[in-house]
Amino acid sequence: MTTKNGTDTARYLHIFMIEGQRYAVDGNSGVFFKLDEIAAEALSLAVTGIPHEDIKKQLSQTHDPEKIVDTLVELDQIIADGIVFGPDPFSGDSLIADTGISTICLIVSQDCNLRCPYCYAKEGTFGRSRGYMSPEIAEHAVDFLIQQSGAIRELGITFFGGEPLLNLDTIKHTVEYARRKATANHKQVGFSMTTNATLLTPTVQKYILDNDIGLMVSLDGPREIHDSMRHFSDGRGSHNIVQNNLMNILKDQNRIPVAVRATMTRDCMELVQIAEHLWETGSTDVAVEPCLDPSGTLGIRTEDLDIIKSKYLELARIYLNSACSGRYVPFYQFEEFASRAGRISLRPISCGAALNYLAVSADGSLYPCHKMIEIDDYRLGDVYTGITKPEIVEKIRNLRPKSLEKCSGCWARYICGGGCRAHSLIFNQDITKPCLFDCEMSRYFTELGAFIFSELNSYGDITAGGGERGH
């Protein structure tokens, strides 16, 4: 078994254990394996560049020689196939092709009727005075999207804030105008909205359903947890209003997608309790995200990682037990990573920020994404003049994992693509330095995804004696 590709590319093979089971994922091929003890030991030795005969000699001290030979033959084959210790899939990668902008996020309201203390958007204002996007600016944003979309046929517009429903008139105007402009340009446009759901009255719900606007609703769990964070300016909790409105709109989730998202703070890391409350709503799209706030006391910190990981593992056990008993409980992070575990779709960039996605502030300014709104150094231009700082776009376009000091040697570099650019700025004041918490959680969710995928699908093993390998 040769590892001459070895010890350089071998560092991108990650071997790990969850719940007593051994797994490996190769960061260059994106292939995941479940391993038996011999295969795990053989791969661990191969990673160090130890010659074939020495691996065989070491293993023979504790394992059946015949099984060792069978295992090494199979491992030889997957090395020859480039499935492990293979070349960098983006070794010759050039700039990402400029295919055009497909999606814009409109910050129609830089204001909010809630006063959530962990809000990264600073009560919806993003650190500026409260304001609302005018219909005229929204029209220019739509025109900009059409012009910049090139040959892309399917476009997306997301309404965001603050609380976007504080500016429903502009939303309605935008939907009508965008549909008209898209049709005139032989394109299609879809809509989505992130909302706190306090203003989802029956009339508003009818409008959303009639216009096929997908929703992401914020609900932080049971009333006592939710109301401790998500309350009105006078201190009144919003849980009962949100829950009632959400339950009403979920009756029609077969017509539009309705996702429910919770934010988990350092004050209350009761992940299971929060998730179970979200499951009780009946939503088929549920997630719980850790609060990240470098300047406050509510953000979960790197020293909390062991606790957070144990919480997600506990939830994964519940998720699997429910599946085995025939009860479906959705959880976005598990489904996302488990769906990618068989053969992960590798990517040289983390997301489409500034590439095929842009955010538009209430005054019409352009930014790489909604988390960078009002970060002056990353203002790209506006909807009237277009992108006037192409060098920023070029900078983001060139932020490849291989060029980032903290990413170049990481096995998961092409799984996360280098992490959230906005979080790099927020946490490290440097877009080239990824957020450590993001890095750790991305790696851990990849491991959990492999574990969940294996448990749910009785995935093929590399076993002594030549069991199936993963594809």
Side-chain angles (χ1 to χ4, degrees):
M1 175 166 51
T2 177
T3 59
K4 63 184 179 184
N5 284 330
T7 53
D8 182 40
T9 56
R11 62 180 169 162
Y12 300 118
L13 179 72
H14 177 58
I15 301 170
F16 58 99
M17 182 179 286
I18 293 184
E19 299 288 81
Q21 301 294 323
R22 299 172 181 85
Y23 304 92
V25 60
D26 190 280
N28 279 352
S29 68
V31 177
F32 148 77
F33 303 95
K34 184 176 181 182
L35 306 170
D36 71 359
E37 185 178 358
I38 297 178
E41 291 183 20
L43 272 174
S44 296
L45 292 169
V47 164
T48 68
I50 293 177
H52 186 130
E53 287 305 315
D54 288 345
I55 293 176
K56 185 176 180 182
K57 187 181 299 183
Q58 287 198 40
L59 292 178
S60 65
Q61 298 176 19
T62 53
H63 297 290
D64 184 301
E66 185 176 343
K67 291 181 179 180
I68 293 170
V69 170
D70 289 342
T71 297
L72 294 180
V73 166
E74 185 175 6
L75 295 183
D76 265 342
Q77 186 61 56
I78 64 174
I79 290 172
D81 291 343
I83 292 174
V84 297
F85 308 150
D88 186 327
F90 302 107
S91 58
D93 74 66
S94 57
L95 293 180
I96 297 292
D98 185 4
T99 58
I101 303 298
S102 62
T103 304
I104 56 172
C105 177
L106 301 184
I107 314 298
V108 293
S109 169
Q110 286 187 221
D111 191 7
C112 189
N113 57 339
L114 295 185
R115 297 293 181 265
C116 310
Y118 58 63
C119 180
Y120 76 87
K122 298 178 176 62
E123 299 180 356
T125 68
F126 295 88
R128 302 295 169 90
S129 58
R130 301 185 189 280
Y132 302 91
M133 182 177 289
S134 69
E136 178 195 20
I137 289 175
E139 285 187 7
H140 281 281
V142 171
D143 292 342
F144 173 82
L145 173 62
I146 298 288
Q147 292 161 7
Q148 297 295 314
S149 62
I152 300 172
R153 308 288 294 177
E154 296 185 359
L155 308 178
I157 295 176
T158 296
F159 299 112
F160 203 80
E163 173 47 50
L165 287 175
L166 288 172
N167 196 5
L168 183 57
D169 287 344
T170 291
I171 291 173
K172 290 180 176 180
H173 184 88
T174 305
V175 169
E176 181 183 352
Y177 183 80
R179 285 209 171 110
R180 188 166 68 247
K181 290 288 289 190
T183 299
N185 287 273
H186 309 290
K187 297 178 184 287
Q188 295 181 335
V189 60
F191 304 95
S192 62
M193 182 189 306
T194 296
T195 176
N196 62 33
T198 59
L199 302 175
L200 277 179
T201 64
T203 301
V204 172
Q205 290 186 31
K206 184 178 186 307
Y207 172 79
I208 287 170
L209 289 167
D210 289 346
N211 287 276
D212 299 318
I213 301 174
L215 291 179
M216 181 176 288
V217 173
S218 298
L219 176 67
D220 278 0
R223 183 172 59 81
E224 62 276 13
I225 296 176
H226 178 99
D227 284 351
S228 69
M229 292 292 139
R230 305 188 65 82
H231 46 72
F232 294 98
S233 58
D234 61 5
R236 286 182 299 117
S238 62
H239 178 271
N240 289 349
I241 295 172
V242 173
Q243 180 93 353
N244 290 337
N245 291 342
L246 174 61
M247 297 303 288
N248 284 333
I249 197 75
L250 281 172
K251 295 174 184 176
D252 290 292
Q253 65 178 320
N254 62 321
R255 291 175 57 186
I256 61 167
V258 181
V260 184
R261 295 290 183 268
T263 299
M264 179 175 58
T265 67
R266 197 166 197 258
D267 276 7
C268 183
M269 294 189 282
E270 299 299 330
L271 175 62
V272 172
Q273 185 182 0
I274 294 169
E276 288 178 337
H277 185 80
L278 269 53
W279 289 334
E280 289 172 1
T281 67
S283 172
T284 57
D285 188 344
V286 162
V288 182
E289 304 281 358
C291 172
L292 298 181
D293 180 7
S295 61
T297 61
L298 295 172
I300 294 172
R301 306 169 188 172
T302 53
E303 56 259 42
D304 301 321
L305 277 165
D306 287 345
I307 296 174
I308 291 297
K309 289 179 180 180
S310 69
K311 297 283 187 182
Y312 278 105
L313 179 57
E314 181 184 358
L315 190 66
R317 295 189 191 106
I318 295 171
Y319 179 86
L320 287 169
N321 289 337
S322 296
C324 291
S325 65
R327 177 189 173 222
Y328 171 67
V329 290
F331 199 74
Y332 172 79
Q333 288 99 328
F334 295 165
E335 291 160 355
E336 171 71 8
F337 283 91
S339 70
R340 290 160 43 185
R343 181 179 285 274
I344 298 165
S345 297
L346 302 177
R347 51 185 179 173
I349 56 172
S350 60
C351 68
L355 303 177
N356 53 35
Y357 170 91
L358 288 174
V360 185
S361 67
D363 69 0
S365 297
L366 298 170
Y367 295 89
C369 79
H370 57 283
K371 290 188 177 181
M372 294 189 192
I373 291 291
E374 306 298 0
I375 298 179
D376 292 338
D377 288 346
Y378 285 85
R379 184 183 184 277
L380 304 176
D382 59 51
V383 294
Y384 297 98
T385 58
I387 294 176
T388 57
K389 293 183 179 178
E391 66 275 10
I392 298 178
V393 176
E394 200 72 3
K395 179 180 180 180
I396 294 174
R397 195 183 293 270
N398 278 308
L399 288 174
R400 307 305 182 80
K402 63 169 59 181
S403 68
L404 302 177
E405 180 183 356
K406 298 292 186 181
C407 300
S408 60
C410 176
W411 62 268
R413 70 203 190 289
Y414 292 137
I415 295 174
C416 75
C420 174
R421 310 311 190 201
H423 286 173
S424 296
L425 284 175
I426 294 167
F427 280 82
N428 299 319
Q429 296 75 54
D430 186 339
I431 202 168
T432 70
K433 296 180 179 178
C435 167
L436 176 60
F437 188 90
D438 277 355
C439 295
E440 289 287 345
M441 290 309 298
S442 179
R443 288 189 285 258
Y444 188 62
F445 274 129
T446 301
E447 294 176 351
L448 269 185
F451 165 63
I452 291 169
F453 181 91
S454 174
E455 293 299 302
L456 289 178
N457 295 279
S458 300
Y459 204 65
D461 299 353
I462 298 181
T463 56
E468 293 182 10
R469 63 175 183 261
H471 294 284

mmCIF file of all heavy atoms in Angstrom, residues 20 52 143 204 244 324 454 467:
data_model
loop_
_atom_site.group_PDB
_atom_site.id
_atom_site.type_symbol
_atom_site.label_atom_id
_atom_site.label_comp_id
_atom_site.label_asym_id
_atom_site.label_seq_id
_atom_site.Cartn_x
_atom_site.Cartn_y
_atom_site.Cartn_z
ATOM 1 N N GLY A 20 -19.007 4.800 20.047
ATOM 2 C CA GLY A 20 -18.322 3.526 19.924
ATOM 3 C C GLY A 20 -18.087 3.062 18.506
ATOM 4 O O GLY A 20 -17.487 2.007 18.275
ATOM 5 N N HIS A 52 3.875 -0.285 3.714
ATOM 6 C CA HIS A 52 2.916 -1.392 3.733
ATOM 7 C C HIS A 52 3.327 -2.495 4.716
ATOM 8 O O HIS A 52 2.538 -2.918 5.564
ATOM 9 C CB HIS A 52 2.836 -1.958 2.313
ATOM 10 C CG HIS A 52 1.790 -3.013 2.124
ATOM 11 N ND1 HIS A 52 0.899 -2.956 1.100
ATOM 12 C CD2 HIS A 52 1.500 -4.147 2.805
ATOM 13 C CE1 HIS A 52 0.104 -4.016 1.149
ATOM 14 N NE2 HIS A 52 0.451 -4.748 2.178
ATOM 15 N N ASP A 143 -34.630 46.070 -10.412
ATOM 16 C CA ASP A 143 -34.003 46.352 -11.708
ATOM 17 C C ASP A 143 -32.542 45.901 -11.703
ATOM 18 O O ASP A 143 -32.047 45.323 -12.678
ATOM 19 C CB ASP A 143 -34.075 47.847 -12.028
ATOM 20 C CG ASP A 143 -35.498 48.330 -12.280
ATOM 21 O OD1 ASP A 143 -36.371 47.472 -12.547
ATOM 22 O OD2 ASP A 143 -35.737 49.552 -12.189
ATOM 23 N N VAL A 204 -52.600 39.230 6.785
ATOM 24 C CA VAL A 204 -51.222 39.124 6.293
ATOM 25 C C VAL A 204 -50.933 37.682 5.855
ATOM 26 O O VAL A 204 -50.297 37.449 4.820
ATOM 27 C CB VAL A 204 -50.223 39.580 7.369
ATOM 28 C CG1 VAL A 204 -48.789 39.293 6.937
ATOM 29 C CG2 VAL A 204 -50.399 41.062 7.659
ATOM 30 N N ASN A 244 -49.345 31.287 18.364
ATOM 31 C CA ASN A 244 -50.673 31.228 17.740
ATOM 32 C C ASN A 244 -50.601 31.514 16.246
ATOM 33 O O ASN A 244 -51.224 30.817 15.430
ATOM 34 C CB ASN A 244 -51.617 32.225 18.423
ATOM 35 C CG ASN A 244 -51.979 31.800 19.837
ATOM 36 O OD1 ASN A 244 -51.894 30.626 20.185
ATOM 37 N ND2 ASN A 244 -52.384 32.758 20.664
ATOM 38 N N CYS A 324 -36.281 5.402 14.406
ATOM 39 C CA CYS A 324 -36.387 3.945 14.528
ATOM 40 C C CYS A 324 -37.773 3.510 15.003
ATOM 41 O O CYS A 324 -38.226 2.406 14.698
ATOM 42 C CB CYS A 324 -35.322 3.415 15.480
ATOM 43 S SG CYS A 324 -33.639 3.555 14.832
ATOM 44 N N SER A 454 -25.109 6.859 8.773
ATOM 45 C CA SER A 454 -24.775 5.450 8.925
ATOM 46 C C SER A 454 -25.854 4.697 9.692
ATOM 47 O O SER A 454 -26.285 3.614 9.293
ATOM 48 C CB SER A 454 -23.430 5.327 9.646
ATOM 49 O OG SER A 454 -23.140 3.972 9.928
ATOM 50 N N GLY A 467 -15.577 -5.877 3.367
ATOM 51 C CA GLY A 467 -16.938 -5.368 3.273
ATOM 52 C C GLY A 467 -17.024 -4.202 2.325
ATOM 53 O O GLY A 467 -16.011 -3.694 1.831
#
